[in-house]
């Protein structure tokens, strides 16, 4: 497993994706806007630019930027 600091986990059965930073849960995102806000609150003001950077964010168990129920 790679050591990216931010993981957007697989979509949940009810929709949304859990977002973690170094193992700490930041919240349940229902859109990229939610992920960006979680990262901003965690101290990453340029979070939007990081979403497609595989060195920063790993999208697990589903396609990137998709939040519909699994």
């Amino acid at each position: 497993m790679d050591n990216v600091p931010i993981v957007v986990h697989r979509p949940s059965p009810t929709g949304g994706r859990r977002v973690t930073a170094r193992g700490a849960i930041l919240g349940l995102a229902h859109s990229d806007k939610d992920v960006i806000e979680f990262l901003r609150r965690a101290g990453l003001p340029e979070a939007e630019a990081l979403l497609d950077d595989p060195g920063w964010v790993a999208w697990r168990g589903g396609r990137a930027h998709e939040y519909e129920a699994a």
Side-chain angles (χ1 to χ4, degrees):
M1 191 180 286
D2 43 332
N3 289 324
V4 281
I6 301 154
V7 176
V8 181
H9 298 268
R10 66 183 173 87
S12 74
T14 57
R17 297 174 83 149
R18 185 169 37 103
V19 180
T20 59
R22 301 217 184 274
I25 298 172
L26 301 180
L28 183 67
H30 293 276
S31 68
D32 284 353
K33 186 176 178 179
D34 291 340
V35 177
I36 291 165
E37 179 61 17
F38 296 155
L39 299 181
R40 185 193 66 76
R41 290 180 186 179
L44 296 166
E46 301 298 323
E48 187 170 0
L50 302 178
L51 290 184
D52 291 312
D53 182 339
W56 277 94
V57 178
W59 294 84
R60 301 275 165 76
R63 296 183 67 173
H65 312 287
E66 291 185 4
Y67 299 86
E68 294 82 26

